Amino acid sequence: MWKKIAFLLAISTAVQSNELDNLINSSSAIVDQIDTGIKLTGAAMDYAHTGGGLSDGTLSSTAHISAEQVEAYNSALSNMATYQPYGNVRDVLNDMAIDSLDEMETAITTFSEVVVEMIAVQQVAEKAETATTPSEKEEVQTFIVDNQDMLTIDQEDVDTYNTSVDQIETSANEASAYLAVANNDEAADFLQQSIQDKNTTADDVNIFYDAGEQWVAMGYTTTKNLTAVYLNGSDAFGLDLYYSEADILAVGAESEFYKTSPIGMGYDCFFEMECE
């Protein structure tokens, strides 16, 4: 791969433990100590009044509640103020975008490697296009005849190229769709409210991008209904994301990835460092 692209993502994802789990664990730990203390007290009351037995004098320490346990419990109580029982749909969307970006990066690596394998076709094109005199055309002929094995393109490489470029587009669209909805307060709040209305959580719904419907939709395990945010500007959220082919190619032509590629730099400049 010729150069690594630095993707600047507007993703702010904090890794937080589950507040409810912390409360359960910390409170249960103290309850266990109190349970031990009550049992020890009951036994002490029994044998102390009858002279029926003795402990070794150290069992009471097993019922002690430590300062760390108290701190953990009180901290868990405080953190419940920010607990989100329905989950956070923005976090889910951001996580899905990260997954799609990872898939895109993998596909870009595959794409870049196979392009380098096939890029000799560019050298052929450049030589053929610049040959104007019979002698120059003869040179092109000689070059091709002498290097035909190296210049031949394998169908396997073509299949890899086609598959990878498809995956790049699919993953890029998914990532952009999820980020756009997550970063739109009204759209994200709409999905979050729908989760609460269905009495479920953000982790238990099925969120997906549908290119045909041009939306990010959310499905539920309890109903066949979908809640959707359109990405073509047709609803109240104002997300109008679809670019024309010409616009997308224009953006690509100005990208660092293109400008530092064999096509953008020229074959000799990229491989031989013979740049004008």
Side-chain angles (χ1 to χ4, degrees), residues 9 19 42 73 110 128-129 141 163 174 188 190 214 223 234 241 249 251:
L9 304 175
E19 292 90 343
Y73 172 68
T110 301
E129 290 170 357
Q141 180 188 28
T163 300
E174 289 174 351
F190 169 69
Q214 299 187 338
T223 175
S234 62
L241 303 182
L249 293 178
V251 171

Side-chain angles (χ1 to χ4, degrees), residues 226-244:
L226 293 176
T227 302
V229 174
Y230 283 89
L231 306 174
N232 56 14
S234 62
D235 60 20
F237 303 119
L239 290 173
D240 192 3
L241 303 182
Y242 289 96
Y243 287 174
S244 68

Side-chain angles (χ1 to χ4, degrees), residues 25-43:
N25 293 335
S26 61
S27 61
S28 295
I30 292 178
V31 169
D32 288 344
Q33 295 307 102
I34 294 174
D35 178 82
T36 300
I38 292 173
K39 289 175 180 175
L40 289 177
T41 300

Side-chain angles (χ1 to χ4, degrees), residues 6 13 45 69 97 118 123 140 156 163 172 174-175 191 194 197 206 208 219-220 224 226 233 241 250 258 262 276:
T13 305
M45 291 173 65
Q69 288 174 318
M118 300 191 304
Q123 188 179 26
V140 173
E156 183 179 353
T163 300
E174 289 174 351
L191 295 181
S194 181
D197 291 344
N206 178 31
F208 59 94
Y220 313 90
K224 294 182 178 180
L226 293 176
L241 303 182
Y258 181 80
E276 296 180 357

